[in-house]
Structure formats: structure tokens, C-alpha cells
């Protein structure tokens, strides 16, 4: 029937296909983002801890010897997969479901889940953390950490001290933690040699990727967000006079701006008014805030703030994954 319609009226077939695609929810996924932004999304996802990795590369954070369950999810075609984690111990292995025991030695371990049908894979860069208990007198191997608050804010778990720290060496700052971000971007700005330490949350990385994808779809063509401030040790956070319970101290916040045209170390003139000011931060803020009620944003509920230019920084937007809604600066 389709062929006979095609012969009679090719234009009508085009519209039928387009309508069917919309009904199937396919347009948003298959339509390229303006300017060719590559989101790095995979055609399946891997669930681990309380996260879902939907990108071809994502970071996870575990304690030495911790058992982690990885499961393939969101695979509509029920294909076969294999997991390779050469340095860990595979305790359980099925076609879509594995339990992997992390090594006890601090470092980054690549765990790759590969679709056996087409070779597509998701690389999970799993960081084995240095346990929090190794902080002595506010320092970890000489690196200043400071002290986390004794009492979590409002008794919330997210304000308890982190379980451990990623060890950043001279060799690993360029490790990909998601398609468009690397480990070193989240280092605290305090001065020191290596090793350095940081806290980072997979949920923040997922949110930053989602923000990047969303602003590209809104017409701002950029392959990266500049992270002005990622992790802050409690020591540094106090030194710069910031509030004690800043989400930066728990690795769940990033201050970011778009700096691609031109790349000059400051926010681009996104609203094209010839000035670099809070109105450019507001462009990013609005794009995120206008969509926040959509279901896809549910895992990323948290803080959003916009900041004006000061003597020490240009305009930027703060995003975090605190788990409840907060807004400021608008
Ligand atoms: Ca710029
Ligand atoms: Ca502007």
C-alpha cells in the first residue's frame, strides 16, 4: 500500500512518516541538533549504584573492594552484552547483569559494557576512592581538605561527609568523566602539587551533559561548558568566604559558562547585545529553568543561580544536584 501511495503522492508519504515519527516520539532523538552537536548518548543505558549512565562514557565512584552491580537497561531490542573490567573481580555474570568487585588500590579502572550485536559500548571510568577516614588533621597526603561540618544541614544525608576522595595525579586529569567533561575540570582552585583530591558526583556529570544538550537544542552551539568552579575543599570554601553548606564542598555543584565564540576565558555574548553581563548568564538560566518541569529533568532537581560580573569573575550560572529545588539571582 505504501508503495502505491508513494507513486501517487510522495509528499503525502513524507507527512505520514513524519506524523508517525512524532507519535512514536522519534523526532526528538533522530533529529540532529543544530550545528551537529554530538550528545554522546548511547542506544542503551547501564544502571549502577543509584545512577543510570546513558552516555558512551561516564564516571562512577566506589570505595576499595566495593561490590557494584551493573545492569543494562533501556535496551528496547533485548540484545546481548558483555562487561569487561579487567582489574576487578567479576562475581556474577549474566547477559545484562553483573556484580563487579572493585580493586582495593586507589585509581581509575575502565569498565566497559559492550553490545555484542554491533560493538557499541559504554565506558564507565570507575574511580576507586581514598576513604574519608584517611584524612588526618584536615589533610590527605598533605593536601588541605579542612573539615566537613559535624552536623549535616537539616539532618540531610547529602550534607554528611563524603565517603572518600578521587585521587588526582599528574597522569589522570584528562580522564573523561562524561562525553564533554574531564576530571581535571572539577579540581579545587587551591594551589598545591600532586596528588590532589576531589569529590565528584555522577549525578552532577549527568546533569551537566543534559544542560549542554539542552542549550544546544535551544540554538546555542557549543561542545563544552567551562567549569569556573567545581569541587571546593571545605578549607578553600572557607578561605574564599563562601557559605559552609555550599554544594561545591560535596562535589555536587558546578559554576559554568559558555565560552566558545570567541574562546577568551569569559562568557560569550549569548544575547548579542554587545555586552558581557548577567543577561548572558540569564540566557542559560532561562533555557534550563523553562524546561525544569519536564519529566526528563526530574533526576536533576536542584539549585540554579545566575551571577553578575564582579572584579574577580565574569557572569556565570551555578547548577547543582541537591535533590530539591532552589533558585536565586533572577
Ligand atoms: Ca567567550
Ligand atoms: Ca550580552
Amino acid at each position: 500500500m505504501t508503495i502505491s501511495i508513494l507513486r501517487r503522492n510522495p509528499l503525502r508519504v513524507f507527512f505520514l512518516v513524519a506524523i508517525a515519527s512524532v507519535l512514536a516520539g522519534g523526532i526528538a532523538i533522530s533529529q540532529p541538533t543544530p550545528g551537529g552537536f554530538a550528545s554522546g548518548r548511547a542506544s542503551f543505558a547501564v544502571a549502577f549504584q543509584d545512577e543510570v549512565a546513558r552516555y558512551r562514557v561516564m564516571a562512577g565512584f566506589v570505595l576499595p573492594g566495593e561490590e557494584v552491580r551493573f545492569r543494562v537497561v533501556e535496551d528496547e531490542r533485548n540484545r546481548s552484552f558483555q562487561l569487561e573490567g579487567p582489574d576487578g573481580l567479576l562475581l556474577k555474570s549474566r547477559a545484562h547483569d553483573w556484580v563487579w568487585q572493585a580493586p582495593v588500590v586507589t585509581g581509575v579502572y575502565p569498565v566497559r559494557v559492550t553490545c555484542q550485536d554491533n560493538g557499541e559500548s559504554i565506558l564507565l571510568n570507575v574511580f576507586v576512592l581514598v576513604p574519608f577516614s584517611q584524612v588526618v588533621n584536615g589533610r590527605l597526603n598533605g593536601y588541605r581538605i579542612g573539615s566537613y561540618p559535624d552536623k549535616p544541614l537539616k539532618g540531610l544525608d547529602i550534607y554528611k561527609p563524603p565517603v572518600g576522595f578521587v585521587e588526582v595525579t599528574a597522569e589522570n586529569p584528562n580522564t573523561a568523566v562524561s562525553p564533554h567533561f574531564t576530571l581535571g575540570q572539577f579540581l579545587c582552585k587551591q594551589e598545591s602539587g600532586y596528588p590532589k583530591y576531589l569529590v565528584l558526583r555522577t549525578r552532577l556529570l549527568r546533569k551537566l551533559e543534559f544542560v549542554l544538550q539542552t542549550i544546544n537544542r535551544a540554538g546555542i552551539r557549543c561542545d563544552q561548558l567551562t567549569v569556573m568552579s567545581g569541587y571546593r575543599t571545605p578549607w578553600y570554601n572557607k578561605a574564599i568566604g563562601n557559605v559552609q553548606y555550599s554544594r561545591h564542598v560535596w562535589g555536587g555543584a558546578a559554576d559554568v559558562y559558555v565560552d566558545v565564540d570567541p574562546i577568551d576565558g569569559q562568557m560569550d555574548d549569548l544575547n548579542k547585545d554587545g555586552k558581557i553581563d548577567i543577561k548572558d548568564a540569564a540566557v542559560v538560566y532561562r533555557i534550563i529553568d523553562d524546561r525544569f518541569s519536564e519529566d526528563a529533568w526530574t533526576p536533576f532537581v536542584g539549585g540554579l543561580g545566575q551571577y553578575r560580573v564582579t572584579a574577580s569573575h565574569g557572569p556565570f550560572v551555578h547548577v547543582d544536584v541537591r535533590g530539591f529545588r532552589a533558585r536565586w539571582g533572577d
Side-chain angles (χ1 to χ4, degrees), residues 258-271:
V258 174
D259 180 21
V260 294
D261 182 24
I263 299 175
D264 57 359
Q266 65 172 341
M267 175 77 96
D268 292 348
D269 181 14
L270 298 179
N271 70 345

Side-chain angles (χ1 to χ4, degrees), residues 27 67 119 266 288 290 329:
I27 286 283
E67 289 182 14
Q266 65 172 341
I288 299 171
D290 286 352

Side-chain angles (χ1 to χ4, degrees), residues 268-277 279-280:
D268 292 348
D269 181 14
L270 298 179
N271 70 345
K272 309 288 182 201
D273 67 352
K275 291 178 279 191
I276 310 293
D277 60 21
K279 288 178 183 169
D280 301 302

Side-chain angles (χ1 to χ4, degrees), residues 19 50 86 102 113 172 216 237 251 256 275 294 311 318 320 323:
I19 289 164
D50 60 349
V113 177
N172 71 11
N216 271 277
N237 190 60
V256 297
K275 291 178 279 191
E294 296 171 7
H318 165 109
D320 71 54

Side-chain angles (χ1 to χ4, degrees), residues 145-312:
I145 299 294
S147 55
Y148 279 83
D150 292 334
K151 288 182 182 168
L153 182 66
K154 298 174 185 169
L156 292 168
D157 282 351
I158 58 162
Y159 292 100
K160 287 180 178 170
V163 295
F165 298 86
V166 175
E167 187 168 74
V168 184
T169 64
E171 288 75 40
N172 71 11
N174 292 326
T175 305
V177 289
S178 71
H180 302 93
F181 294 88
T182 56
L183 183 67
Q185 286 180 280
F186 296 90
L187 269 169
C188 185
K189 298 291 184 279
Q190 71 193 47
E191 287 183 17
S192 88
Y194 291 104
K196 307 179 186 194
Y197 295 88
L198 62 77
V199 180
L200 187 53
R201 294 168 67 92
T202 302
R203 191 65 58 95
L204 177 69
L205 297 167
R206 291 173 55 197
K207 181 167 184 172
L208 290 173
E209 288 292 343
F210 203 66
V211 165
L212 189 58
Q213 179 182 315
T214 304
I215 63 177
N216 271 277
R217 283 197 175 151
I220 297 172
R221 178 70 188 92
C222 60
D223 284 323
Q224 60 188 35
L225 294 172
T226 301
V227 180
M228 196 179 89
S229 179
Y231 174 61
R232 289 182 201 148
T233 63
W235 177 82
Y236 180 80
N237 190 60
K238 191 176 180 182
I240 62 171
N242 200 5
V243 294
Q244 188 182 27
Y245 290 98
S246 164
R247 291 309 302 158
H248 289 276
V249 174
W250 282 268
D255 296 338
V256 297
Y257 57 84
V258 174
D259 180 21
V260 294
D261 182 24
I263 299 175
D264 57 359
Q266 65 172 341
M267 175 77 96
D268 292 348
D269 181 14
L270 298 179
N271 70 345
K272 309 288 182 201
D273 67 352
K275 291 178 279 191
I276 310 293
D277 60 21
I278 193 170
K279 288 178 183 169
D280 301 302
V283 170
V284 177
Y285 181 103
R286 279 282 134 241
I287 290 170
I288 299 171
D289 195 46
D290 286 352
R291 290 160 179 78
F292 225 76
S293 59
E294 296 171 7
D295 287 347
W297 286 90
T298 304
F300 307 126
V301 63
L304 176 64
Q306 58 187 7
Y307 287 79
R308 62 185 66 253
V309 181
T310 71
S312 57

